[in-house]
Amino acid sequence: MAASLLVGCASRTVVESDLRIKGAPDWVNRGSQALNDRDGRLFHGVGSAPAMGDLSLQTSVADDRARAELARILSSYLQIVSREYLVAGGGGASEQALSRQIENVTRVNLSGARIIGRWRDRRTETVYALAELDMQQVKSTVAMVKEMDEGLKIHVGRHADNIFDRMVEGDLQ
């Protein structure tokens, strides 16, 4: 089912993976990434958990690790946004203050992340989970955060999609 959710994503950047697990859905082998497809601008985090003897616990661990991967990608993206904001003038904000604000925004956004797929490797019994966060939700959350630099909020509203697209295309690091 999860694999069918990702079919037709022709405009996304191809991510090389070392996994190459035979029979696994494409998202398992691609790994965590930001992608722009017909469903919008999305952040995907992939997590896994080895066999533990308790499938419920194993699934929960895989889900948590997928969310952690999502947090890592989102935080990296927001760091790029804040760097560009500072280069553009930054309204007197400090890099340190913006970093704290980004940590808070990342935590708030993760509450809206959804697990959209799971897969279990029958050979190793490893469970994989795929977490997703939509860019529209990220922008909405940023707009509502009270403790955030107002200039950064405006910068996100105006430039977030463009920066995201450049990140997906590999033009940003």
Side-chain angles (χ1 to χ4, degrees):
M1 176 179 83
S4 67
L5 291 172
L6 299 175
V7 172
C9 303
S11 65
R12 83 175 131 218
T13 300
V14 175
V15 176
E16 293 298 321
S17 169
D18 295 330
L19 294 179
R20 294 187 179 114
I21 300 171
K22 286 189 178 213
D26 289 343
W27 58 264
V28 170
N29 288 316
R30 277 190 203 108
S32 299
Q33 63 180 317
L35 58 106
N36 189 353
D37 68 13
R38 69 170 190 230
D39 295 324
R41 291 173 176 92
L42 306 168
F43 296 97
H44 279 177
V46 177
S48 65
M52 300 178 166
D54 180 344
L55 185 57
S56 179
L57 174 63
Q58 184 182 11
T59 300
S60 179
V61 168
D63 290 357
D64 288 345
R65 289 179 178 171
R67 286 185 189 96
E69 277 295 298
L70 204 51
R72 183 184 61 77
I73 295 168
L74 180 59
S75 181
S76 294
Y77 167 76
L78 290 171
Q79 289 292 342
I80 292 167
V81 171
S82 71
R83 258 184 284 161
E84 289 201 4
Y85 170 64
L86 287 172
V87 167
S94 76
E95 191 170 342
Q96 201 171 32
L98 292 178
S99 288
R100 281 192 303 272
Q101 292 172 18
I102 285 168
E103 285 178 35
N104 291 336
V105 169
T106 299
R107 266 192 300 271
V108 170
N109 266 301
L110 287 179
S111 65
R114 301 176 309 131
I115 300 297
I116 62 166
R118 289 191 190 95
W119 179 73
R120 187 172 183 200
D121 185 334
R122 300 255 183 248
R123 189 176 51 77
T124 65
E125 299 299 316
T126 301
V127 170
Y128 294 85
L130 175 61
E132 179 180 87
L133 185 62
D134 186 288
M135 183 62 177
Q136 280 306 118
Q137 180 178 340
V138 172
K139 290 190 315 188
S140 296
T141 301
V142 166
M144 293 186 303
V145 174
K146 292 180 175 131
E147 299 81 27
M148 188 168 202
D149 180 271
E150 198 58 39
L152 181 57
K153 280 187 196 183
I154 292 168
H155 188 79
V156 168
R158 289 183 183 157
H159 303 286
D161 290 339
N162 185 342
I163 294 168
F164 181 94
D165 292 344
R166 289 186 0 240
M167 186 175 103
V168 168
E169 292 167 8
D171 293 342
L172 297 173
Q173 297 302 331

